[in-house]
Amino acid sequence: MQPTRILQGMRYRKLRLTTKDVNKGYYKGTGSGSMGRHTKHGGYVIEWDKVRTYVCPPLEGFKLTPFVSQTIRPQHGIYNGDPNGPRNPELYLSRWKSENGFD
Amino acid sequence: MASPGAVRPSVGAALQSCLAGSAACSRNAASMMPMAARIASSTVRPVRVQTAALSTTASLLKRHKYPGARSNRDMSKRRGESAIRRTGTRWRLSVSDDPLPQPVKRAELPAIETDPDHGLWEFFADRNTVAAPPEEVAKHGRAWMVEELRAKSWDDLHRLWWVCVKERNRIATADWERNRGKLGFGKSESGERDKVVKKTMQGIKHVLTERQYAWEDAVKLAETDPEIDLSGEGPVFTPKEYLEAEDVLVESETAESTNDSTEPSKAVPSETTPLEPNPQSSTAPRL
């Protein structure tokens, strides 16, 4: 059997590597992510902690939409000139204390 | 087996008709006979077919003597059969007399039953039109600002995310249908709508990441805070006023009022659970 024309001669070397090319442990992933680990016998064990699960909550009665009315002009938050602003841990802590410090 | 005196049916028949003397017959006979036979017949002695009394040989020899009759057997048993031209079978079958079922006309077919509450209907904004005209698609608002999303609880953000996912699915379905059916314009408006939804989703992700980092920093800070005890024994938060053994009622009121005055209203992420366990959980009323 002959390879197709694109794989003959020097043209193959200009193509991008695939998962089937190269020995010596060359690994190329496919973008699906790691779901487990390989066993020493060549198998694969799935680790369910690594497996992605997509949870869609019930959406009955939910009124928010992806859009906001154009009449509501955007307003920026007030952080009193704090460069950290929303990331400020003191702010976070003080708010936490006021809102749910007490059970 | 055939006797030496017997002649091949076609030739014999031709000869017979020749011998009968009819002019038409002789003409037909002459045209029927192959060339060799024609040449030969001029020299061959006229041979009469031997028939006994009550014999059917003569009549049998007259079979298949029509114009265009074959001189040899048809070795192709299915000659002329065509499904495309609907010729039917060449030979009769045992089922030839059974009437074939006729298909129902398309107009008379019963309507396909669909479930009006099926989940797949959610891929379409309007189930009677697969893709809305561009003017309708362009009627949408702006994306959520990060500042607006910061005020939302985990549950609201989670549900808003999935609402955005479903909207993007609807937009993609409409795009697909528009391409497939060559319905016309609308790609650009669809792209703009998709951009807005994606911007909202980007904002949600940003807010949640920000909240996570702020929580981690706050935990670190809380370890040095005298009012907070993260060991797990006793209450987590004991405010200063309480430590100084003031009036219980007063202390809780002052704690809330002082914190109310200092903190900005919309800026802080709404966090409603204790520090240690899940940082992003169920909602609580905002201030």
Side-chain angles (χ1 to χ4, degrees), chain B:
Chain B
M1 293 307 291
S3 54
V7 179
R8 284 214 183 125
S10 55
V11 177
L15 284 174
Q16 270 207 315
S17 52
C18 273
L19 294 166
S22 156
C25 281
S26 66
R27 261 208 302 281
N28 284 344
S31 62
M32 266 161 53
M33 279 194 294
M35 210 42 159
R38 280 193 212 129
I39 294 161
S41 65
S42 57
T43 53
V44 75
R45 293 171 284 134
V47 172
R48 283 198 187 274
V49 177
Q50 293 176 349
T51 55
L54 301 176
S55 159
T56 53
T57 312
S59 57
L60 284 173
L61 290 175
K62 284 193 197 136
R63 284 170 66 230
H64 304 300
K65 295 301 170 273
Y66 49 88
R70 297 184 70 97
S71 57
N72 62 339
R73 65 190 169 100
D74 187 358
M75 281 175 274
S76 172
K77 286 217 172 94
R78 294 211 281 158
R79 187 184 296 282
E81 279 185 4
S82 171
I84 300 166
R85 295 171 199 271
R86 301 183 188 171
T87 56
T89 56
R90 197 162 172 213
W91 310 103
R92 283 183 70 80
L93 303 173
S94 60
V95 298
S96 284
D97 291 331
D98 295 346
L100 280 178
Q102 294 298 321
V104 179
K105 290 195 172 43
R106 188 176 283 273
E108 295 161 26
L109 283 170
I112 299 167
E113 289 174 20
T114 55
D115 176 13
D117 297 327
H118 202 285
L120 287 177
W121 284 119
E122 295 197 59
F123 279 96
F124 299 96
D126 173 21
R127 57 182 68 183
N128 295 320
T129 49
V130 296
E135 308 84 55
E136 296 298 318
V137 173
K139 288 180 187 164
H140 59 82
R142 62 167 175 83
W144 282 70
M145 278 206 73
V146 172
E147 200 50 57
E148 294 159 352
L149 289 167
R150 278 194 191 113
K152 291 293 169 198
S153 64
W154 158 260
D155 277 328
D156 276 351
L157 291 175
H158 193 191
R159 286 184 290 180
L160 184 59
W161 175 271
W162 282 99
V163 166
C164 292
V165 165
K166 288 167 88 163
E167 179 63 29
R168 284 196 69 203
N169 279 342
R170 251 173 260 131
I171 294 166
T173 309
D175 278 345
W176 181 273
E177 286 293 329
R178 207 178 291 112
N179 281 340
R180 193 175 71 96
K182 299 190 179 56
L183 301 177
F185 298 117
K187 183 176 174 182
S188 154
E189 288 84 355
S190 208
E192 282 303 314
R193 195 181 175 111
D194 197 46
K195 253 194 196 171
V196 168
V197 178
K198 279 170 82 172
K199 198 147 161 61
T200 305
M201 293 171 91
Q202 179 195 33
I204 293 171
K205 252 196 187 171
H206 177 95
V207 163
L208 292 174
T209 317
E210 204 178 58
R211 218 176 265 182
Q212 174 73 16
Y213 291 165
W215 173 78
E216 285 169 2
D217 295 341
V219 166
K220 236 195 264 174
L221 192 65
E223 284 158 11
T224 58
D225 193 326
E227 291 180 351
I228 292 174
D229 175 23
L230 294 171
S231 62
E233 305 142 1
V236 179
F237 176 47
T238 44
K240 243 190 321 199
E241 292 84 0
Y242 187 76
L243 285 172
E244 287 164 6
E246 277 184 32
D247 195 22
V248 177
L249 261 173
V250 172
E251 140 254 277
S252 60
E253 280 166 1
T254 50
E256 278 173 16
S257 63
T258 47
N259 281 327
D260 273 343
S261 59
T262 49
E263 74 185 26
S265 59
K266 284 178 79 164
V268 185
S270 69
E271 190 38 67
T272 60
T273 53
L275 269 179
E276 279 157 332
N278 308 318
Q280 297 165 357
S281 285
S282 52
T283 114
R286 284 187 59 237
L287 289 177

